[in-house]
Amino acid sequence: MSDVEHDPGVEAELNEVGRALYASFPQRSRNPVKALDARAMELASQDAELRAALFRFVDVTPACRSLDDLARHLSGYLNEVDAKPPPLEVAMRMAGTKPGRTALGAAAAGGVRHMAHRFIVGDSPRKALGILRELWEGGAASTVDLLGEATVTEAEADRYAARCAEALDTIAEAAPRWPERPQLEADSLGPLPRANLSVKVSALTPHIRPDAPALGRDDAARRMRPLLRKARDLGAHLHIDMESLDALETTMDLIFELLDEDEFREGPSAGLVLQAYLRESPNQLDSILAWARQSPRKPPLVVRLVKGAYWDHEIVEARQHGWETPVFEVKAECDRNYEQLTRRLLDARPAVRVAIASHNLRSISHAIAYNRHSGGEDRDLELQVLRGLGDELGYALAAQGQRVRVYCPVGDLVAGMAYLVRRLLENTSNESFLHEQAMGVPLEELLAAP
């Protein structure tokens, strides 16, 4: 059934699902803080110069050493914006005096911290436990991501591996005390771990290089193997994130080789990520399914389907080298590929477990509708959203009884800055679903086929 595109039966079910989810969205007016956040995002999304200035400011914030320094950087970036909204004119006037800069710096620091806390659930796994439990009680599971981009030294990679091990211990120790939530704890293939950690291969080794994949793979493997053992012994799930294209081959080889080892045949539950914005993603899915179908492992591989968060990186790198861009440059092409991959993944069960990660109401509704149309049960489809971006959709999915998981970054502001900028880029993109939703695009258009 995977070749059936825009089947009338699926489209009818999709519209019904989408309307029910939309009706379950929480009202923004009930939460004034989120309403203010939404207004700030709208302003940024409407002006490219303002958006660029704010992103540059967020990026430089950790390096500022005083409130005066922070205010000077902010006013410097905002000075490059031609048409300034009234609040920015006030900010520019404040930057003209030392007391004004101190006040402006304090306000800006508070704003960045507020924005960071919207996306980052705590600066350590232990401090995140309250939110993880709150999500669980509200009907949403979680996966914790320890912030930290690519490492450059062996010591950094060792520290990241140690943080991952500690996170597994912390979450696995707390999770048994959470109340029962049957829809989150099992599918038709068996139990699902409560503790769930996402890890990045580029943070487990400083040696990821496309020209020497074996070096990075072997170095990452010696830190990943103990994490797999710990996850197995604790009954936790370990999910390996996918990053930029230059690390993809190394990451996939690493996952397949480690999970093929005899000691991991019975566990742990493990997964990887498929990025639909890559033109090669259909071929990558071929490789994943070929491996999953012949693997003697007992727990099925979990495949998290995402659209991809490194679009700007891939475009810039390809243009710098004169390469053909590896990603779809037209959003509708990416969306169509996402739906095709969704159908292929759902058709491939039970060889894999499927997790559909998106903030796009059409994409999520399509997955639910196709799953039902092809005879699947709702409990055999996991839907994932990002903390801070997909809160409303996650709430609606939980309210509709769907199995939903929230991707929860944990870490300090400096380590999380690259992540934060990517999320802001996604939230303010003129083509994003979140932007369209905020601009009041009619529901019929939000659910229209790409």
Side-chain angles (χ1 to χ4, degrees), residues 54-103:
L54 292 177
F55 289 168
R56 291 169 68 190
F57 174 68
V58 168
D59 212 18
V60 80
T61 295
C64 293
R65 295 291 172 253
S66 67
L67 295 179
D68 190 88
D69 190 22
L70 202 58
R72 289 181 186 278
H73 276 86
L74 177 59
S75 59
Y77 294 140
L78 293 180
N79 196 40
E80 298 173 13
V81 179
D82 290 333
K84 299 180 183 63
L88 299 193
E89 293 287 1
V90 173
M92 295 302 293
R93 286 197 295 274
M94 291 175 68
T97 65
K98 184 171 178 54
R101 286 195 298 275
T102 300

Short mmCIF file of all heavy atoms in Angstrom, two decimals, residues 54-103:
data_model
loop_
_atom_site.label_atom_id
_atom_site.label_comp_id
_atom_site.label_asym_id
_atom_site.label_seq_id
_atom_site.Cartn_x
_atom_site.Cartn_y
_atom_site.Cartn_z
N LEU A 54 18.57 38.75 15.94
CA LEU A 54 18.26 38.04 17.17
C LEU A 54 19.03 36.73 17.28
O LEU A 54 19.53 36.36 18.35
CB LEU A 54 16.75 37.78 17.27
CG LEU A 54 15.89 39.04 17.45
CD1 LEU A 54 14.41 38.68 17.46
CD2 LEU A 54 16.25 39.77 18.74
N PHE A 55 19.16 36.02 16.15
CA PHE A 55 19.92 34.77 16.18
C PHE A 55 21.39 35.02 16.49
O PHE A 55 22.02 34.28 17.23
CB PHE A 55 19.79 34.04 14.85
CG PHE A 55 18.42 33.47 14.61
CD1 PHE A 55 18.06 33.01 13.37
CD2 PHE A 55 17.48 33.40 15.64
CE1 PHE A 55 16.80 32.48 13.14
CE2 PHE A 55 16.22 32.89 15.43
CZ PHE A 55 15.88 32.42 14.17
N ARG A 56 21.95 36.09 15.91
CA ARG A 56 23.36 36.42 16.19
C ARG A 56 23.52 36.77 17.66
O ARG A 56 24.51 36.40 18.29
CB ARG A 56 23.80 37.58 15.30
CG ARG A 56 23.91 37.20 13.82
CD ARG A 56 24.08 38.41 12.95
NE ARG A 56 25.36 39.05 13.15
CZ ARG A 56 25.67 40.25 12.64
NH1 ARG A 56 24.76 40.90 11.93
NH2 ARG A 56 26.85 40.77 12.83
N PHE A 57 22.53 37.47 18.20
CA PHE A 57 22.62 37.85 19.61
C PHE A 57 22.54 36.61 20.51
O PHE A 57 23.32 36.45 21.46
CB PHE A 57 21.49 38.82 19.96
CG PHE A 57 21.41 39.14 21.42
CD1 PHE A 57 22.42 39.87 22.04
CD2 PHE A 57 20.36 38.67 22.20
CE1 PHE A 57 22.37 40.14 23.40
CE2 PHE A 57 20.31 38.93 23.55
CZ PHE A 57 21.32 39.68 24.15
N VAL A 58 21.59 35.71 20.22
CA VAL A 58 21.47 34.48 21.02
C VAL A 58 22.76 33.69 20.97
O VAL A 58 23.24 33.15 21.98
CB VAL A 58 20.29 33.63 20.51
CG1 VAL A 58 20.31 32.24 21.12
CG2 VAL A 58 18.97 34.32 20.83
N ASP A 59 23.39 33.66 19.79
CA ASP A 59 24.61 32.89 19.61
C ASP A 59 25.78 33.45 20.42
O ASP A 59 26.63 32.71 20.90
CB ASP A 59 24.97 32.87 18.12
CG ASP A 59 25.66 31.58 17.72
OD1 ASP A 59 25.56 30.61 18.48
OD2 ASP A 59 26.31 31.56 16.66
N VAL A 60 25.83 34.78 20.56
CA VAL A 60 26.97 35.41 21.22
C VAL A 60 26.76 35.57 22.73
O VAL A 60 27.71 35.85 23.48
CB VAL A 60 27.25 36.79 20.57
CG1 VAL A 60 26.30 37.87 21.12
CG2 VAL A 60 28.70 37.21 20.77
N THR A 61 25.55 35.35 23.20
CA THR A 61 25.23 35.59 24.61
C THR A 61 26.18 34.89 25.60
O THR A 61 26.65 35.52 26.55
CB THR A 61 23.77 35.18 24.90
OG1 THR A 61 22.91 36.05 24.16
CG2 THR A 61 23.44 35.29 26.38
N PRO A 62 26.50 33.59 25.41
CA PRO A 62 27.36 32.94 26.40
C PRO A 62 28.75 33.58 26.52
O PRO A 62 29.41 33.45 27.55
CB PRO A 62 27.48 31.50 25.88
CG PRO A 62 26.30 31.31 25.01
CD PRO A 62 26.06 32.64 24.37
N ALA A 63 29.21 34.27 25.47
CA ALA A 63 30.56 34.85 25.49
C ALA A 63 30.58 36.23 26.14
O ALA A 63 31.66 36.77 26.41
CB ALA A 63 31.11 34.94 24.06
N CYS A 64 29.43 36.84 26.39
CA CYS A 64 29.38 38.18 26.98
C CYS A 64 29.72 38.10 28.47
O CYS A 64 29.23 37.22 29.18
CB CYS A 64 28.00 38.80 26.77
SG CYS A 64 27.65 39.16 25.05
N ARG A 65 30.54 39.03 28.93
CA ARG A 65 31.06 38.97 30.30
C ARG A 65 30.37 39.93 31.27
O ARG A 65 30.69 39.93 32.46
CB ARG A 65 32.57 39.24 30.28
CG ARG A 65 33.36 38.18 29.55
CD ARG A 65 33.33 36.87 30.36
NE ARG A 65 33.92 35.75 29.63
CZ ARG A 65 33.24 34.76 29.10
NH1 ARG A 65 31.91 34.73 29.20
NH2 ARG A 65 33.83 33.78 28.46
N SER A 66 29.49 40.78 30.80
CA SER A 66 28.79 41.70 31.70
C SER A 66 27.48 42.12 31.06
O SER A 66 27.27 41.92 29.85
CB SER A 66 29.66 42.95 31.96
OG SER A 66 29.78 43.70 30.76
N LEU A 67 26.59 42.72 31.86
CA LEU A 67 25.32 43.20 31.32
C LEU A 67 25.57 44.31 30.30
O LEU A 67 24.87 44.42 29.29
CB LEU A 67 24.43 43.70 32.46
CG LEU A 67 23.97 42.63 33.46
CD1 LEU A 67 23.11 43.26 34.55
CD2 LEU A 67 23.21 41.52 32.75
N ASP A 68 26.59 45.16 30.57
CA ASP A 68 26.94 46.23 29.64
C ASP A 68 27.39 45.63 28.30
O ASP A 68 26.98 46.09 27.23
CB ASP A 68 28.04 47.10 30.25
CG ASP A 68 28.28 48.36 29.44
OD1 ASP A 68 27.58 49.36 29.72
OD2 ASP A 68 29.11 48.33 28.51
N ASP A 69 28.22 44.60 28.37
CA ASP A 69 28.70 43.91 27.17
C ASP A 69 27.53 43.32 26.38
O ASP A 69 27.44 43.42 25.15
CB ASP A 69 29.68 42.82 27.61
CG ASP A 69 30.43 42.21 26.43
OD1 ASP A 69 30.53 42.88 25.38
OD2 ASP A 69 30.93 41.07 26.57
N LEU A 70 26.59 42.71 27.12
CA LEU A 70 25.42 42.08 26.49
C LEU A 70 24.59 43.15 25.76
O LEU A 70 24.16 42.95 24.61
CB LEU A 70 24.59 41.40 27.58
CG LEU A 70 23.64 40.29 27.19
CD1 LEU A 70 24.36 39.15 26.50
CD2 LEU A 70 22.92 39.75 28.43
N ALA A 71 24.37 44.28 26.44
CA ALA A 71 23.56 45.35 25.84
C ALA A 71 24.25 45.94 24.61
O ALA A 71 23.58 46.28 23.63
CB ALA A 71 23.31 46.43 26.88
N ARG A 72 25.56 46.09 24.66
CA ARG A 72 26.28 46.64 23.49
C ARG A 72 26.15 45.71 22.29
O ARG A 72 25.97 46.16 21.15
CB ARG A 72 27.76 46.85 23.84
CG ARG A 72 28.02 48.02 24.80
CD ARG A 72 29.52 48.18 25.08
NE ARG A 72 29.76 49.19 26.09
CZ ARG A 72 29.81 50.50 25.86
NH1 ARG A 72 29.64 50.94 24.61
NH2 ARG A 72 30.03 51.36 26.82
N HIS A 73 26.26 44.40 22.52
CA HIS A 73 26.09 43.46 21.40
C HIS A 73 24.67 43.51 20.85
O HIS A 73 24.46 43.53 19.64
CB HIS A 73 26.41 42.03 21.87
CG HIS A 73 27.86 41.70 21.83
ND1 HIS A 73 28.71 41.98 22.88
CD2 HIS A 73 28.64 41.14 20.87
CE1 HIS A 73 29.94 41.59 22.58
NE2 HIS A 73 29.92 41.08 21.36
N LEU A 74 23.68 43.54 21.75
CA LEU A 74 22.29 43.56 21.30
C LEU A 74 22.00 44.83 20.48
O LEU A 74 21.43 44.75 19.38
CB LEU A 74 21.35 43.51 22.51
CG LEU A 74 19.85 43.60 22.18
CD1 LEU A 74 19.42 42.47 21.25
CD2 LEU A 74 19.01 43.59 23.46
N SER A 75 22.43 45.98 21.00
CA SER A 75 22.15 47.22 20.27
C SER A 75 22.91 47.26 18.95
O SER A 75 22.43 47.80 17.95
CB SER A 75 22.49 48.43 21.14
OG SER A 75 23.85 48.42 21.52
N GLY A 76 24.12 46.68 18.94
CA GLY A 76 24.89 46.64 17.69
C GLY A 76 24.20 45.84 16.60
O GLY A 76 24.12 46.26 15.45
N TYR A 77 23.66 44.68 16.98
CA TYR A 77 22.95 43.86 15.99
C TYR A 77 21.64 44.52 15.57
O TYR A 77 21.29 44.54 14.39
CB TYR A 77 22.67 42.47 16.57
CG TYR A 77 23.90 41.64 16.82
CD1 TYR A 77 24.01 40.85 17.96
CD2 TYR A 77 24.96 41.64 15.92
CE1 TYR A 77 25.16 40.09 18.19
CE2 TYR A 77 26.10 40.89 16.15
CZ TYR A 77 26.20 40.11 17.30
OH TYR A 77 27.32 39.37 17.53
N LEU A 78 20.91 45.08 16.54
CA LEU A 78 19.62 45.69 16.20
C LEU A 78 19.81 46.94 15.36
O LEU A 78 18.92 47.32 14.59
CB LEU A 78 18.86 46.04 17.49
CG LEU A 78 18.39 44.84 18.33
CD1 LEU A 78 17.64 45.33 19.56
CD2 LEU A 78 17.50 43.92 17.50
N ASN A 79 20.96 47.58 15.48
CA ASN A 79 21.22 48.79 14.69
C ASN A 79 21.25 48.49 13.19
O ASN A 79 21.09 49.39 12.36
CB ASN A 79 22.54 49.41 15.13
CG ASN A 79 22.69 50.84 14.65
OD1 ASN A 79 21.72 51.61 14.67
ND2 ASN A 79 23.87 51.20 14.20
N GLU A 80 21.45 47.20 12.85
CA GLU A 80 21.50 46.81 11.43
C GLU A 80 20.11 46.55 10.87
O GLU A 80 19.95 46.29 9.68
CB GLU A 80 22.36 45.56 11.28
CG GLU A 80 23.81 45.78 11.71
CD GLU A 80 24.62 44.49 11.72
OE1 GLU A 80 24.12 43.49 11.16
OE2 GLU A 80 25.73 44.49 12.27
N VAL A 81 19.08 46.61 11.73
CA VAL A 81 17.71 46.39 11.27
C VAL A 81 17.12 47.73 10.83
O VAL A 81 17.09 48.69 11.62
CB VAL A 81 16.85 45.77 12.40
CG1 VAL A 81 15.41 45.57 11.94
CG2 VAL A 81 17.46 44.45 12.86
N ASP A 82 16.66 47.80 9.58
CA ASP A 82 16.16 49.07 9.05
C ASP A 82 14.84 49.49 9.71
O ASP A 82 14.71 50.60 10.21
CB ASP A 82 15.97 48.95 7.53
CG ASP A 82 17.33 48.88 6.83
OD1 ASP A 82 18.32 49.41 7.39
OD2 ASP A 82 17.41 48.26 5.75
N ALA A 83 13.84 48.60 9.65
CA ALA A 83 12.51 48.94 10.18
C ALA A 83 12.36 48.32 11.55
O ALA A 83 12.10 47.13 11.69
CB ALA A 83 11.42 48.43 9.23
N LYS A 84 12.53 49.15 12.58
CA LYS A 84 12.50 48.60 13.95
C LYS A 84 11.10 48.75 14.54
O LYS A 84 10.55 49.86 14.55
CB LYS A 84 13.51 49.35 14.83
CG LYS A 84 14.95 49.24 14.37
CD LYS A 84 15.87 50.01 15.29
CE LYS A 84 17.30 49.97 14.80
NZ LYS A 84 17.47 50.63 13.46
N PRO A 85 10.53 47.65 15.09
CA PRO A 85 9.26 47.77 15.82
C PRO A 85 9.49 48.67 17.04
O PRO A 85 10.62 48.82 17.52
CB PRO A 85 8.96 46.33 16.25
CG PRO A 85 9.81 45.47 15.37
CD PRO A 85 11.02 46.27 15.03
N PRO A 86 8.41 49.29 17.57
CA PRO A 86 8.54 50.22 18.72
C PRO A 86 9.36 49.67 19.88
O PRO A 86 10.18 50.40 20.45
CB PRO A 86 7.09 50.49 19.11
CG PRO A 86 6.33 50.33 17.83
CD PRO A 86 7.01 49.24 17.08
N PRO A 87 9.20 48.39 20.29
CA PRO A 87 10.00 47.89 21.43
C PRO A 87 11.50 47.96 21.16
O PRO A 87 12.30 48.20 22.07
CB PRO A 87 9.53 46.44 21.59
CG PRO A 87 8.16 46.41 20.98
CD PRO A 87 8.22 47.36 19.84
N LEU A 88 11.90 47.79 19.90
CA LEU A 88 13.33 47.83 19.58
C LEU A 88 13.84 49.27 19.59
O LEU A 88 15.00 49.53 19.94
CB LEU A 88 13.60 47.18 18.23
CG LEU A 88 13.23 45.70 18.11
CD1 LEU A 88 13.84 45.10 16.85
CD2 LEU A 88 13.70 44.92 19.34
N GLU A 89 12.99 50.21 19.20
CA GLU A 89 13.39 51.63 19.28
C GLU A 89 13.67 52.01 20.73
O GLU A 89 14.63 52.72 21.03
CB GLU A 89 12.27 52.52 18.70
CG GLU A 89 12.04 52.36 17.20
CD GLU A 89 13.15 52.99 16.37
OE1 GLU A 89 14.11 53.53 16.95
OE2 GLU A 89 13.05 52.92 15.12
N VAL A 90 12.84 51.51 21.64
CA VAL A 90 13.05 51.76 23.07
C VAL A 90 14.38 51.16 23.51
O VAL A 90 15.17 51.78 24.24
CB VAL A 90 11.89 51.17 23.90
CG1 VAL A 90 12.19 51.29 25.40
CG2 VAL A 90 10.58 51.88 23.56
N ALA A 91 14.65 49.93 23.05
CA ALA A 91 15.91 49.26 23.42
C ALA A 91 17.11 50.07 22.94
O ALA A 91 18.11 50.21 23.66
CB ALA A 91 15.93 47.85 22.84
N MET A 92 17.02 50.60 21.73
CA MET A 92 18.14 51.38 21.18
C MET A 92 18.38 52.64 22.02
O MET A 92 19.52 53.03 22.27
CB MET A 92 17.87 51.74 19.72
CG MET A 92 17.79 50.55 18.78
SD MET A 92 19.30 49.56 18.77
CE MET A 92 20.45 50.71 18.04
N ARG A 93 17.30 53.28 22.46
CA ARG A 93 17.47 54.49 23.28
C ARG A 93 18.08 54.12 24.63
O ARG A 93 18.92 54.85 25.16
CB ARG A 93 16.10 55.17 23.48
CG ARG A 93 15.60 55.89 22.23
CD ARG A 93 14.48 56.87 22.57
NE ARG A 93 13.29 56.21 23.06
CZ ARG A 93 12.32 55.73 22.28
NH1 ARG A 93 12.41 55.84 20.95
NH2 ARG A 93 11.25 55.16 22.80
N MET A 94 17.69 52.99 25.20
CA MET A 94 18.25 52.57 26.48
C MET A 94 19.75 52.33 26.38
O MET A 94 20.51 52.56 27.33
CB MET A 94 17.56 51.28 26.97
CG MET A 94 16.12 51.44 27.39
SD MET A 94 15.36 49.85 27.79
CE MET A 94 16.25 49.40 29.28
N ALA A 95 20.20 51.87 25.22
CA ALA A 95 21.62 51.53 25.05
C ALA A 95 22.51 52.77 25.00
O ALA A 95 23.73 52.64 25.00
CB ALA A 95 21.80 50.71 23.77
N GLY A 96 21.90 53.96 25.02
CA GLY A 96 22.69 55.19 24.92
C GLY A 96 23.35 55.63 26.21
O GLY A 96 24.21 56.51 26.21
N THR A 97 22.95 55.04 27.34
CA THR A 97 23.53 55.42 28.63
C THR A 97 23.97 54.17 29.38
O THR A 97 23.43 53.07 29.13
CB THR A 97 22.51 56.16 29.51
OG1 THR A 97 21.44 55.25 29.84
CG2 THR A 97 21.94 57.38 28.77
N LYS A 98 24.91 54.34 30.32
CA LYS A 98 25.38 53.16 31.07
C LYS A 98 24.28 52.54 31.92
O LYS A 98 24.12 51.31 31.90
CB LYS A 98 26.58 53.56 31.95
CG LYS A 98 27.20 52.38 32.69
CD LYS A 98 28.49 52.77 33.36
CE LYS A 98 29.09 51.59 34.14
NZ LYS A 98 29.24 50.39 33.30
N PRO A 99 23.49 53.35 32.68
CA PRO A 99 22.39 52.73 33.43
C PRO A 99 21.38 52.03 32.51
O PRO A 99 20.85 50.97 32.82
CB PRO A 99 21.75 53.91 34.16
CG PRO A 99 22.81 54.95 34.22
CD PRO A 99 23.61 54.79 32.97
N GLY A 100 21.15 52.65 31.36
CA GLY A 100 20.22 52.05 30.40
C GLY A 100 20.74 50.73 29.88
O GLY A 100 19.98 49.76 29.72
N ARG A 101 22.07 50.69 29.60
CA ARG A 101 22.65 49.43 29.10
C ARG A 101 22.58 48.34 30.16
O ARG A 101 22.34 47.17 29.85
CB ARG A 101 24.10 49.66 28.67
CG ARG A 101 24.26 50.41 27.36
CD ARG A 101 25.67 50.29 26.81
NE ARG A 101 26.66 50.86 27.69
CZ ARG A 101 27.00 52.15 27.72
NH1 ARG A 101 26.39 53.00 26.90
NH2 ARG A 101 27.91 52.60 28.54
N THR A 102 22.77 48.70 31.43
CA THR A 102 22.68 47.70 32.50
C THR A 102 21.27 47.10 32.55
O THR A 102 21.09 45.89 32.65
CB THR A 102 23.03 48.33 33.86
OG1 THR A 102 24.37 48.86 33.79
CG2 THR A 102 22.95 47.29 34.98
N ALA A 103 20.27 47.99 32.46
CA ALA A 103 18.88 47.51 32.50
C ALA A 103 18.56 46.69 31.25
O ALA A 103 17.92 45.62 31.33
CB ALA A 103 17.93 48.71 32.60
#
